[in-house]
Amino acid sequence: MPSTSGPRRPGLLRYAVLLAGALVFLFPFYYMLIGSLQSEPDTSVAGAFPTSSPTLDNYADINSRVALLRSLVNSGIFTGGVILGTVVFGVLAGYALARLHFRGRGTLFALVLLVQVIPFQLLLIPLYVLIVRGYGLADSYLGMILPFAINTVAVFIFRQFFLQLPDDLFSAARMDGAGELRILWSVALPLVRPALLTAVLLTFIGPWNEFLWPFLVTKQADMQPLAVSLANYISNVASRAANPYGAILAGACVLAAPAVALFVAFQRHFVSTDIGSGVKG
Amino acid sequence: MSTAHAGAAATTGPGARTGGTSPTVGGPLRASRSRVAAALGRHPVGMVLAAPYAVYVAVVFAYPFGFAVWMSFHDYFFAAPGAVVERPFVGLANYRAMLADEGVRRAFGNILVFLVINVPLTVALALLLAAALNGVVHARAFLRVAFYVPYVTASVAVVGVWLFLFSSNGMVNTMLGPLAPEPSWLVNEALAMPVIALFVVWKQLGFFILLYLAALQNVPKELYESAAVDGASRWHQFWSVTVPAVRPATALVVILATITGANLFTEPYLLTGGGGPSGASASPVLVMYQRGIQQGQPDVAAAIGVLLVIGVLLISAVNRRLIERD
Amino acid sequence: MRRTFPAVLLTVTLALTAGCGDSGGDADKANAATGPITVWLSNNKEELAWGKAMVEAWNAQHADQKITAQEIPAGETSEEVIGAAITAGNAPCLIFNTAPAAVPQFQKQGGLVALDSFDGAAQYIADRTGDTASQYKSPDGKFYQLPWKSNPVMIFYNKQIFAKAGLDAEKPALSTYDELLAAARKIKSSRAAAAAIYPAPTSEFFQSWFDFYPLFAAATDGKQLVQDGKAQFNSPEGRQVAELWKTLYDEGLAPKEQYNGDAFGDGRSAMAIVGPWAIAVYGSKVKWGAVPVPTPTGRPAGQVKTFSDAKNVAMYSACQNRATAWAVLKFATSKEQDGELLNKTGQMPLRKDLAAAYPDYFSKNPAYQQFADQAGRTVEVPNVPSSVAIWQAFRDAYSESVIFGKKPVPDAFAAAAAKVDQLAAES
């Protein structure tokens, strides 16, 4: 139930403001879409409202130069691996940090915070040397996935979520003599679905759009995820296309489409418990 | 975040105590169990559960970060395996050189400007929009998606559009007509960083709106109703009910926005190609990248990085104190 | 326990990585070894086509020494990829896109093989490239790169825009600074194009190669940015070049904002300052002509020097089968393969007497003749340590004084020269 205040009309002003905001927010995206469907570039202001009919040439051009399907598969494997690692190990860690008392818990939580703070560029070369030279994982999916394997924000979200579950659930189970693992399995995990959805959505975007790391780790063109293939395309080939700018925008739309689709599909689950309850404190 | 932690202690403490071990367990078993508990905590299985994550953090972050800190105290550059290179310890020389460098100082100044604009704007807009979105019933999906879409699209894709908007004969200047700033936005020393701040606000807002939306779901209706009964206007209700009720969410938003802002790299890199007019839109991470990776001076870059991390931790601590005044 | 667990892990990880370092190998043994090798090519479409054909030709005749070719992006990011690969020890044997400005850094890292260690290498290079080859030697007198191809920078102009502005489209007067300014002003006043000339005004370290440096090379008749460990740009000629560009920026003849794309190719700029690789990009979109870069008082076209924008081939120390790599290098720069490169890409192999070596090609493509001619008079970036930092320091001063006019040129250049001298002195 929306928390409006009593029987006043829901506020035409509110809708107007929101609509205006939404249009402002969507405008660049709209421009991207329109531009990608043009056969001739038009960078003037009038170009935002084109009169010529749309064409799919730009998309065809990308498809001929970049192996779209292969890149999408690679992106899928990369992102899927990260989501898997996050969901499996992140839930365990989040639960342990929230509900269990063990030696090193404070340190670990401090580390969770610290990890958020460190910029990735600082770690880049040592990490690259570690993964490529130390573990020999160049040009492999594991090498791509490893630095992102468990998303720290997701761990944080899981922890918040488990924290706000009612204590009675756990104390009742403990009084029945259940071991901790059993409690985790039969009490906590069945309830975690809302937090899972949130975590999946937040975790998805990072590796999906990630360019720099896969770019360093993979040299074989058939291992590269979509963000890298598109960046290659933009930096070099796009200038030769009939409509270079349009081709770039088409590539951007291709990259954004699955992420937007995923969000549209999942967004209605965002209303309920999950993150918010965790931040209630 | 500390309130969450304190909350954890408050809620699990009594709970754990009412659970606990049965008082009928015999003496010696109890003694050994409490010895284990003293050494490893009450639920040592927690270590097992947390171990994969701990290993991941140690390998992926701790080792490279430790290495970076070590680098910052040495005269270091990356070399091929098998190359014989001297790596003398130089104490604070890298830090001194970095602090003396005008470009680096300007980058840190720029990021402060960025944070001062970005963080309050993000918090205010996210909360206002979330509150507004909370009440709507029609077109909820469309509106939500609209605000979230920029967050989901890669910066690389979106930058071209912003260049179109903010170039000297772009849409914004055309609409402003004679009011358009001269020199134009991204090449204006004073305006370049604010434009980037605005870009990042727009891009990240969807994520923070979600955080607030979720927090708003848990504000009890009764609070609003009682305020309405007391005759408070909607705006007054917002200030006296909504804002205090979502304070923990605000704390989270502030910290996350500060961290992402301080680590800004992609936007200056793409929007102003290498730091803008006289480095007016360079960020510390951009300078770190230039010095470390382009110019082959990872020791100086590591010094910049370490100082950045310390700075962010300090700012976060200050923020926390300001916001969680309880 | 709390402290020891992470500490143990750290030690183990460090030990793992330390132990995985190479033993270095015996250099002589590696020099004589043959076998399969890996090479990297730039992902420029035409160069890739040439590269693949070259690899196929070699592989057909050397089944036991096959080449595996991979492509890496040609942009600024390629240096980062190569640097990271050197550090990790997984660089390929040859990279057909090594920028001369990056060679000092790679050499310092111990990532390059001195080609002189192969019998007859120095002679081979001298025979193929002639006198220009000396610009590619490292301070220790050895060749850590093989001069491969250049893209001598000239002024391209759009014939249609020039005609529209009332300028001579076939033989435009662009050989002195005054003539260039006059033409630029005419273009602006006649509104024939949005910009007279549009070099990238951004601050990446390499951008100076496409505005300041070609004119500097022409004005000083062949000086590099740094020579004998001293900055050369803080001279009357250097400041004069800077003042010309400053005038272009001040009068709005060259825009100060970056353009998202190719301004000349999109018809927004009347002139461009670039090499022949761009011809394939412009294609039929633009009717172009090209002239040498201007000099202060004008000089016969046959004597004007310019920036080479060369890309070379280097052999990397991670290479195991160096004898094969050297043989492939010679094969790829043979007269036949250089001819293929010329044919497929229009870029100029760094071969002396280029026009005479391939008369058929140049009679079929007369437009390229002037580039071949120009290729004999090019200036390279200085091969000094900290070369990237030096270019960045220069670019920062140039951007501040010339493009954005925040500081007078003499002051900015003097400060930059002091900094550059210091950088060049550290090694």
Side-chain angles (χ1 to χ4, degrees), chain A residues 43 65 104 107 125 128-130 132-135 138 215-216 219-220 232 236 239-241 244-245, chain C residues 2 13 16-17 20 40 43-44 46 70 72-74 77 81 84-85 87-88 90 260 268 281 285:
Chain A
T43 48
R65 180 68 179 98
T107 317
I125 301 281
Y128 179 73
V129 173
L130 181 68
V132 165
R133 198 160 100 191
Y135 302 143
F215 170 63
L216 272 185
K219 294 298 168 309
Q220 297 169 16
N232 281 353
N236 219 327
S239 51
R240 318 305 184 77
Y245 193 49
Chain C
R2 171 190 292 207
T13 333
L16 259 178
T17 50
C20 283
W40 284 355
N43 75 344
N44 173 305
E46 288 82 26
Q70 294 170 334
I72 59 167
T77 37
V81 173
T87 314
N90 68 345
N260 202 19
R268 291 179 67 81
V281 175
K285 278 195 287 195

Side-chain angles (χ1 to χ4, degrees), chain B residues 39-40 47 51 54-55 58-59 62-63 67 77-83 85 101-102 106 159-161 163 166-169 173 183-189 269-279 289-297, chain C residues 1 5-6 9-10 13-14 17 20-24 76-77 79-80 83 85-90 105 108-111 194 201-206 256-260 268 317 386 388-390 392-393 396 399-400 404 406-407 419 423 426:
Chain B
L40 298 176
M47 279 163 54
V55 168
V59 167
Y63 167 63
F67 186 69
F77 60 90
F78 291 113
V85 187
D101 187 323
E102 201 193 320
R106 195 170 343 181
V159 155
V161 177
L163 283 175
F166 280 95
S167 63
S168 53
N169 48 1
N173 277 0
S184 168
W185 305 93
L186 286 169
V187 289
N188 186 323
E189 244 185 283
Y269 186 67
L270 292 175
L271 271 175
T272 54
S278 317
Y289 180 78
Q290 280 178 336
R291 299 294 157 87
I293 298 185
Q294 280 184 349
Q295 296 175 22
Q297 295 173 328
Chain C
M1 182 62 188
F5 174 64
L9 198 63
L10 192 62
T13 333
L14 279 170
T17 50
C20 283
D22 275 348
S23 60
E76 67 209 63
T77 37
E79 269 77 59
E80 289 129 35
I86 291 178
T87 314
N90 68 345
Q105 197 162 306
K108 179 175 158 190
Q109 285 184 286
T202 47
S203 319
E204 293 97 341
F205 70 89
F206 54 83
K256 300 184 190 182
E257 292 183 311
Q258 67 176 7
Y259 182 78
N260 202 19
R268 291 179 67 81
S317 54
S386 306
V388 175
I390 287 176
Q392 186 70 65
D396 290 341
S399 169
E400 206 179 5
F404 293 105
K406 298 280 169 204
K407 227 177 168 180
K419 196 159 173 201
L423 283 168
E426 308 164 2

Side-chain angles (χ1 to χ4, degrees), chain B residues 218-245:
Chain B
N218 296 302
V219 177
K221 278 197 318 296
E222 301 82 47
L223 290 179
Y224 286 110
E225 280 160 14
S226 62
V229 160
D230 285 349
S233 70
R234 270 240 288 275
W235 182 247
H236 197 243
Q237 281 175 42
F238 177 78
W239 270 110
S240 52
V241 176
T242 315
V243 172

Side-chain angles (χ1 to χ4, degrees), chain C residues 177 219 235-245 296-297 409:
Chain C
Y177 291 179
S235 62
E237 294 92 353
R239 289 194 290 269
Q240 203 175 5
V241 173
E243 291 294 344
L244 168 69
W245 282 108
T297 49
V409 168

Side-chain angles (χ1 to χ4, degrees), chain A residues 104-129:
Chain A
R105 169 177 145 152
T107 317
L108 189 60
F109 188 63
L111 277 180
V112 170
L113 299 183
L114 188 64
V115 156
Q116 282 282 80
V117 175
I118 302 175
F120 190 60
Q121 285 78 6
L122 185 60
L123 310 174
L124 197 57
I125 301 281
L127 193 58
Y128 179 73
V129 173

Side-chain angles (χ1 to χ4, degrees), chain A residues 210-277:
Chain A
E210 177 65 30
F211 158 74
L212 189 54
W213 179 254
F215 170 63
L216 272 185
V217 168
T218 57
K219 294 298 168 309
Q220 297 169 16
D222 61 359
M223 290 280 303
Q224 292 178 338
L226 190 57
V228 179
S229 312
L230 280 174
N232 281 353
Y233 174 77
I234 289 175
S235 76
N236 219 327
V237 188
S239 51
R240 318 305 184 77
N243 177 1
Y245 193 49
I248 295 174
L249 293 178
C253 289
V254 169
L255 187 60
V260 174
L262 198 71
F263 179 68
V264 171
F266 280 14
Q267 58 82 29
R268 52 207 163 90
H269 297 284
F270 265 84
V271 190
S272 48
T273 54
D274 53 76
I275 339 170
S277 44

Side-chain angles (χ1 to χ4, degrees), chain C residues 47-126:
Chain C
E47 276 178 55
L48 201 54
W50 168 85
K52 289 196 171 139
M54 185 271 293
V55 166
E56 255 181 64
W58 170 274
N59 283 350
Q61 296 184 338
H62 300 89
D64 57 332
Q65 300 175 62
K66 280 211 152 73
I67 304 176
T68 314
Q70 294 170 334
E71 59 179 271
I72 59 167
E76 67 209 63
T77 37
S78 71
E79 269 77 59
E80 289 129 35
V81 173
I82 299 175
I86 291 178
T87 314
N90 68 345
C93 273
L94 298 172
I95 299 184
F96 280 83
N97 197 33
T98 305
V103 164
Q105 197 162 306
F106 296 156
Q107 186 187 338
K108 179 175 158 190
Q109 285 184 286
L112 299 177
V113 173
L115 297 175
D116 298 58
S117 56
F118 295 100
D119 279 337
Q123 190 60 43
Y124 177 80
I125 294 175

Side-chain angles (χ1 to χ4, degrees), chain A residues 24-276:
Chain A
V24 168
F25 262 64
L26 276 181
F27 179 74
F29 199 70
Y30 156 82
Y31 183 75
M32 231 166 75
L33 206 58
I34 292 292
S36 71
L37 295 171
Q38 296 296 301
S39 52
E40 279 293 315
D42 186 350
T43 48
S44 70
V45 177
F49 307 100
T51 45
S52 58
S53 51
T55 162
L56 288 176
D57 285 346
N58 293 317
Y59 290 93
D61 190 81
I62 294 188
N63 197 24
S64 66
R65 180 68 179 98
V66 169
L68 269 182
L69 199 58
R70 180 83 220 179
S71 300
L72 274 169
V73 166
N74 289 332
S75 283
I77 297 180
F78 177 32
T79 308
V82 171
I83 291 182
L84 195 64
T86 300
V87 161
V88 171
F89 298 116
V91 168
L92 295 180
Y95 180 76
L97 281 172
R99 289 271 149 197
L100 303 177
H101 294 265
F102 56 94
R103 189 52 92 101
R105 169 177 145 152
T107 317
L108 189 60
F109 188 63
L111 277 180
V112 170
L113 299 183
L114 188 64
V115 156
Q116 282 282 80
V117 175
I118 302 175
F120 190 60
Q121 285 78 6
L122 185 60
L123 310 174
L124 197 57
I125 301 281
L127 193 58
Y128 179 73
V129 173
L130 181 68
I131 292 201
V132 165
R133 198 160 100 191
Y135 302 143
L137 290 174
D139 272 318
S140 71
Y141 289 117
L142 193 57
M144 264 196 278
I145 292 174
L146 206 53
F148 299 90
I150 308 176
N151 186 314
T152 300
V153 175
V155 170
F156 196 71
I157 288 177
F158 288 130
R159 177 181 172 277
Q160 297 274 49
F161 176 77
F162 284 123
L163 272 180
Q164 63 71 196
L165 286 181
D167 296 322
D168 322 325
L169 285 177
F170 295 96
S171 41
R174 285 199 184 112
M175 284 228 275
D176 288 345
E180 291 305 325
L181 285 179
R182 181 149 193 85
I183 295 179
L184 170 67
W185 185 256
S186 42
V187 176
L189 281 184
L191 295 172
V192 83
R193 232 177 53 126
L196 263 185
L197 279 164
T198 314
V200 165
L201 261 171
L202 292 177
T203 312
F204 176 86
I205 290 147
W208 185 260
N209 286 343
E210 177 65 30
F211 158 74
L212 189 54
W213 179 254
F215 170 63
L216 272 185
V217 168
T218 57
K219 294 298 168 309
Q220 297 169 16
D222 61 359
M223 290 280 303
Q224 292 178 338
L226 190 57
V228 179
S229 312
L230 280 174
N232 281 353
Y233 174 77
I234 289 175
S235 76
N236 219 327
V237 188
S239 51
R240 318 305 184 77
N243 177 1
Y245 193 49
I248 295 174
L249 293 178
C253 289
V254 169
L255 187 60
V260 174
L262 198 71
F263 179 68
V264 171
F266 280 14
Q267 58 82 29
R268 52 207 163 90
H269 297 284
F270 265 84
V271 190
S272 48
T273 54
D274 53 76
I275 339 170

